Amino acid sequence: METVLEVKNLTKAIGRRVIIDNLSFSCRAGEIYGFLGPNGAGKTSTLKLILGLWSMDGGSIRICGRDLETDPEGALLQAGGVVDAPAFYESLSGLENLRLTARAWGGIPEERLREAADLVGLKNRLEERVKRYSLGMKQRLGLARALLPRPRLLLLDEPTNSLDPAGTRELRELMRSLAHQQGICIVLSSHHMNEMELICDRAGILGNGRLLEEKALLAGGAPVRRAYRFEVEPMDKARQVLADFPGGTVLAVNAQWLEVLLTGEELEALNRRFLEAGAALRTITPVKSQNLEEMFLEVTGGGGQLE
């Protein structure tokens, strides 16, 4: 699948404090990627940097192949997002607020406004003034606003906050539909591990602006993936096979072995690739998998602010 977002060695400091520290990750079309971490870990800051709301001090961000620094307009035309609490003109209706955004973007027809509102469950409340909206309804309106230009990349900061259980489930199904059926790449942050496991295809645990760990999850009925450790010789040839392999998620690579998260079909395909490339496969060992809560507690030392 096409890489929609590529972040490399991203760095940001405020005063003497480094809040994003050499952060690298990438996300593909149709994938839901979640950031999990304690307060101050850098989740919201990362989303603001990707949306161009803050300037970076180092590294690079590419959206659909467009560099955010050298081609900010081209990059940001492909992105939409809701970061922090969405702000609106409270005395105007939801529809009027969407019309203002549509004018700013230009070329967005009226039917798209109603379509976006329908997607997030606001179709029947669009004519009401925003000051009468609940917090959950404002979250929905913010999401509708972000969807207006049909972005390839959607960034959401704590999207299920203020929603009741029914609303959370509806939003979860909406995000799955946008990603898995329409091919939108979604990056979100959350404090709720159970929600991350239900929504995300992959999750990254942040601490002090660093990516501490990544884990592939089972979202939306995705095929079961398991981690395997391969001992292969020669390792340089094995690494090249892995770099060209379209499936799986690389967990770790060193001089003796590599670990990859694979479905059963991907495991067979990767074995064939090694054989065809002339790489000798010594052993394949299943790796015990942690759930997201176990991994979070291990890498954060039990939660709280990391040092």
Side-chain angles (χ1 to χ4, degrees):
M1 283 229 177
E2 174 193 359
T3 297
V4 172
L5 174 64
E6 186 176 21
V7 176
K8 286 187 176 180
N9 307 120
L10 183 63
T11 302
K12 175 67 178 179
I14 296 180
R16 295 182 179 180
R17 183 181 170 220
V18 177
I19 61 171
I20 303 297
D21 187 2
N22 203 39
L23 178 64
S24 297
F25 69 99
S26 63
C27 304
R28 297 175 292 182
E31 181 177 33
I32 304 176
Y33 186 96
F35 277 128
L36 183 70
N39 291 332
K43 304 184 300 295
T44 301
S45 299
T46 299
L47 299 185
K48 287 181 177 180
L49 287 164
I50 295 170
L51 284 170
L53 300 176
W54 285 1
S55 61
M56 67 186 84
D57 294 326
S60 66
I61 298 171
R62 297 180 70 85
I63 302 173
C64 296
R66 304 290 185 91
D67 188 277
L68 186 59
E69 281 208 298
T70 60
D71 184 13
E73 183 176 352
L76 292 175
L77 279 173
Q78 307 295 329
V82 181
V83 179
D84 296 328
F88 302 100
Y89 291 98
E90 299 274 330
S91 61
L92 300 181
S93 69
L95 180 60
E96 289 169 329
N97 272 276
L98 293 181
R99 283 173 177 158
L100 290 174
T101 301
R103 286 195 205 119
W105 278 101
I108 297 178
E110 181 83 6
E111 62 185 33
R112 176 58 185 168
L113 276 60
R114 297 185 181 276
E115 179 184 345
D118 190 19
L119 276 174
V120 301
L122 277 181
K123 180 180 179 180
N124 297 327
R125 309 292 294 274
L126 206 51
E127 306 294 342
E128 293 183 23
R129 292 186 180 183
V130 172
K131 65 182 179 181
R132 297 178 182 171
Y133 281 13
S134 66
L135 290 174
M137 290 171 65
K138 289 178 181 178
Q139 287 281 81
R140 293 169 185 263
L141 185 61
L143 182 55
R145 184 168 62 185
L147 289 170
L148 287 181
R150 302 181 188 275
R152 301 286 311 283
L153 172 66
L154 185 62
L155 298 111
L156 305 173
D157 190 24
E158 300 281 356
T160 59
N161 270 7
S162 308
L163 296 181
D164 59 23
T168 297
R169 181 176 181 178
E170 289 173 3
L171 186 59
R172 183 193 311 145
E173 292 173 351
L174 170 60
M175 285 190 282
R176 285 179 184 165
S177 174
L178 292 171
H180 301 157
Q181 296 180 28
Q182 299 189 32
I184 296 175
C185 174
I186 299 177
V187 179
L188 59 90
S189 71
S190 179
H191 288 91
H192 305 296
M193 283 179 278
N194 60 331
E195 277 303 310
M196 296 283 272
E197 291 191 297
L198 290 171
I199 294 173
C200 298
D201 299 300
R202 281 192 298 145
I205 299 177
L206 286 184
N208 290 328
R210 299 187 299 272
L211 185 62
L212 303 178
E213 192 73 64
E214 275 190 333
K215 181 174 177 61
L217 305 172
L218 306 179
V224 173
R225 291 186 168 191
R226 293 186 174 88
Y228 298 90
R229 176 175 291 185
F230 297 82
E231 292 186 12
V232 191
E233 294 179 353
M235 185 54 70
D236 58 344
K237 191 170 290 186
R239 290 187 186 207
Q240 186 58 53
V241 169
L242 197 59
D244 297 335
F245 187 65
T249 300
V250 179
L251 300 177
V253 178
N254 67 19
Q256 288 77 42
W257 48 259
L258 49 89
E259 287 184 2
V260 191
L261 203 65
L262 301 160
T263 65
E265 290 184 357
E266 290 170 339
L267 175 61
E268 293 179 6
L270 185 57
N271 286 342
R272 286 197 301 270
R273 293 286 185 97
F274 286 140
L275 181 62
E276 292 166 358
L281 185 59
R282 303 302 183 191
T283 64
I284 304 175
T285 307
V287 179
K288 182 182 181 297
S289 179
Q290 295 172 301
N291 64 33
L292 190 57
E293 182 177 43
E294 290 170 339
M295 181 177 291
F296 180 85
L297 293 174
E298 179 179 315
V299 301
T300 63
Q305 179 61 44
L306 297 175
E307 297 299 337

